[in-house]
Amino acid sequence: MKVAVTGAAGFIGTNLVELLVQQGNEVVAIDRVESEHWPETGVSWVRGDVLDPASMESALEGAEVVYHLVAMITLKQNDEIAWRLNTEGVRNVAEAALKTGVRRMVHCSSVHSFDQYDCGGHLDEQSKRSVGEDIPVYDRSKWAGEQELQKVIAKGLDAVVCNPTGVFGPKDFGSQGAKLSRINDMLRDSARGRVPAVITGGFDFVDVRDVAQGLTLAAEKGATGENYLLTGHDQEMFAMFKLAARVTGRRGPLLAFPLKIIEKILPVAEPITAKFGSDVVSRAAMGALISHPKVDGAKAASELGYAPRPADQTVRELVTFLIDSKQLGA
């Protein structure tokens, strides 16, 4: 089967393309740059821009299924480019899929399209969405992008939405010159013995390979117009960082600062750190850990047959991958 993947050179894209080829598909990998890490056969690269409708129509010609992964992840409160990519980009790909006769579209959104700040500690597919200027632009734009998709579904497009939680694990080579994904980069630092302390709190973290599997399950079994949260396991940051360090025989973090302290200093610390070009201490960066909702993955499990692997396995295999790919460093 001929399938197309937008954002194919990215973190999720690299893993999804590999899985699709293993499943016997002919993959059209759509991105602005060609990856060095796609399989040697079964993949054809197409340069494409999701903000250019004509290029999307050309790229999707003849594809039966399209997986839309393109997104700009940012911790900024406002960012016009991120807003356009995460909203207009979804609409353009959906319209192109409808026009070219694509049988099914799978949109990879995010758990952040749900309001994790006001969910009462429990988050599922019926939870409140990310609406309001006080919510970071990434969260708002991911929900807005889903709304753009629903408009095209109303015109006749068969599409389904997946919402992964915190994605980590191998294979991660960075994207277009960028460093590893945020959580992978922090776990790498811990594996190097460079993280003496962390903060308390945790989140639901999911293996990128399970996300790729969940996307293909959604293409096969998902109901049109429905959302599916692709969860992993709820993990405390301290335990994850300690494990990453143990894999390499390094000393992991010794201290975990209470989140309550971070919450109190956040209004003062955020603008100060921003002046130095850092977004580590920000509401967007800390919001998920502070709220720490319990994310319910029952719908994907029951309707798609989705089942994530143990988180400890992912941490160990991530560190092993970083060593094997010479990305761990000293």
Side-chain angles (χ1 to χ4, degrees), residues 9-16 18 35 37 73 167-188 206-209 314 317-328:
F11 178 32
I12 296 177
T14 297
N15 286 273
L16 177 60
E18 183 175 277
S35 173
H37 308 289
I73 301 174
V167 185
F168 77 127
K171 299 177 176 179
D172 187 355
F173 298 96
S175 178
Q176 299 178 18
K179 61 183 181 180
L180 302 179
S181 64
R182 183 174 292 269
I183 184 64
N184 279 352
D185 195 44
M186 292 189 291
L187 288 169
R188 177 172 62 177
V206 60
D207 190 301
V208 65
R209 296 165 295 181
T314 301
E317 291 179 353
L318 168 64
V319 176
T320 299
F321 162 76
L322 292 173
I323 295 171
D324 292 344
S325 60
K326 304 187 186 317
Q327 295 186 85
L328 187 65

Side-chain angles (χ1 to χ4, degrees), residues 154-170:
K155 296 180 182 179
L157 178 66
D158 184 353
V160 61
V161 182
C162 290
N163 302 81
T165 53
V167 185
F168 77 127

Side-chain angles (χ1 to χ4, degrees), residues 109-172:
S109 184
S110 169
V111 68
H112 287 275
S113 73
F114 295 91
D115 188 350
Q116 60 198 336
Y117 307 100
D118 186 22
C119 64
H122 176 85
L123 196 153
D124 62 23
E125 286 84 357
Q126 301 305 314
S127 295
K128 181 180 176 182
R129 293 312 200 108
S130 293
V131 179
E133 292 300 317
D134 60 323
I135 293 177
V137 67
Y138 178 70
D139 303 46
R140 289 185 283 114
S141 66
K142 294 305 285 185
W143 167 226
E146 289 185 28
Q147 292 175 289
E148 292 297 328
L149 176 60
Q150 290 293 342
K151 294 175 184 176
V152 187
I153 291 174
K155 296 180 182 179
L157 178 66
D158 184 353
V160 61
V161 182
C162 290
N163 302 81
T165 53
V167 185
F168 77 127
K171 299 177 176 179
D172 187 355

